[in-house]
Amino acid sequence: MREWISRLLRRKKIRFPRLTRPTYTDRHPGRTALIVGTGPSLTGSCQAIHAFIGERDALVLAANRAFVGVPKGVPCYGGFTNRRRLCQYGPEAAERGRLLIGTSIPRWIIRRLGTDEWERLPYVADDEAPFSVQDGIIRSGCGGVGPLLIATAAIMGCKEIWVAGMDGYPKGVSEHAYAESDRNEAGVLRHQEQTRQSLMGMRAWFKELGVSGPHFLTPSVYQGETP
């Protein structure tokens, strides 16, 4: 009975998280980064992605289960802002590298993963807010974890940023490089537009920082939004 009450009282989401400067700020100065999304273009691009990582010694940041497109043995950061996907894919991602977890996900959920190799990815969970960064904190939800990781790579100090598997939704529906049912089919085009706006803001910010990109290694509806 006590355990049942305890579960009932546990928060599944932190509505007003405390946002502090991320611990990974300027951790990888001058590196080339590759952000890997979960789009179906990963399926036919693994060879090119693997070659790119090897040739550029790229720092890899993978969204949700996008680490499936990364060669085994290559350490990467796994980014999660969705509780359900963290619970589903987090344990496997933790075997590949360090986790970056959104501040709205409570610690009691993270503890269930059984890993200490994680840190917070601080951002304001407002997809409608214009893109900006203040003291390493992203002031927008950016439309999803993929674009958040693009900005995170720059916060880490990377000077060249590439993207693979962030296809967008060219068919108007959510598709992945692996089998997954999406609970937000109706909102995908709205998220696409929010991501598009965020990438335009990032482009201006990157120019100020002297960061090259984001460039796209695989086909994407967002390619026309970046140089």
Side-chain angles (χ1 to χ4, degrees):
M1 182 68 174
R2 183 177 296 176
E3 176 63 22
W4 180 83
I5 294 175
S6 177
R7 288 180 183 179
L8 194 64
L9 293 176
R10 285 176 179 171
R11 290 182 298 173
K12 292 185 177 180
K13 182 176 182 178
I14 301 173
R15 295 187 60 188
F16 303 104
R18 180 170 174 263
L19 302 177
T20 58
R21 181 181 175 88
T23 52
Y24 47 71
T25 302
D26 295 326
R27 181 180 292 168
H28 302 288
R31 292 283 301 275
T32 292
L34 177 65
I35 284 69
V36 186
T38 62
S41 65
L42 286 184
T43 305
S45 305
C46 283
Q47 187 173 352
I49 292 171
H50 294 189
F52 180 89
I53 293 171
E55 291 167 4
R56 302 293 188 93
D57 185 29
L59 177 72
V60 179
L61 293 86
N64 297 318
R65 205 190 174 205
F67 55 85
V68 299
V70 180
K72 288 187 176 181
V74 173
C76 66
Y77 289 93
F80 293 90
T81 57
N82 179 280
R83 173 178 55 84
R84 177 176 61 86
R85 286 179 173 144
L86 175 65
C87 293
Q88 190 171 3
Y89 305 129
E92 190 176 356
E95 295 177 0
R96 303 291 296 271
R98 192 168 183 82
L99 304 184
L100 302 175
I101 300 175
T103 44
S104 66
I105 300 176
R107 285 178 176 268
W108 72 266
I109 291 176
I110 301 171
R111 283 195 292 269
R112 289 187 169 187
L113 302 177
T115 180
D116 294 325
E117 294 298 314
W118 70 276
E119 51 199 314
R120 287 297 193 186
L121 193 168
Y123 71 100
V124 175
D126 180 0
D127 287 329
E128 303 295 337
F131 174 82
S132 67
V133 176
Q134 182 179 358
D135 200 25
I137 300 167
I138 304 167
R139 311 301 299 185
S140 167
C142 295
V145 67
L148 283 171
L149 291 178
I150 296 175
T152 296
I155 294 168
M156 287 181 168
C158 296
K159 288 301 182 182
E160 184 180 35
I161 298 175
W162 288 75
V163 183
M166 203 168 89
D167 303 10
Y169 309 103
K171 299 179 183 178
V173 296
S174 181
E175 296 183 286
H176 301 276
Y178 47 87
E180 177 178 325
S181 59
D182 201 311
R183 298 183 180 180
N184 194 30
E185 287 281 1
V188 294
L189 294 182
R190 184 180 72 253
H191 282 297
Q192 179 170 283
E193 182 57 28
Q194 290 162 346
T195 295
R196 193 188 303 277
Q197 294 298 322
S198 293
L199 288 175
M200 292 175 65
M202 281 184 217
R203 178 175 60 182
W205 181 55
F206 280 11
K207 284 184 178 180
E208 292 179 8
L209 294 179
V211 173
S212 176
H215 309 291
F216 287 84
L217 195 61
T218 59
S220 171
V221 300
Y222 307 116
Q223 283 175 296
E225 305 302 324
T226 54

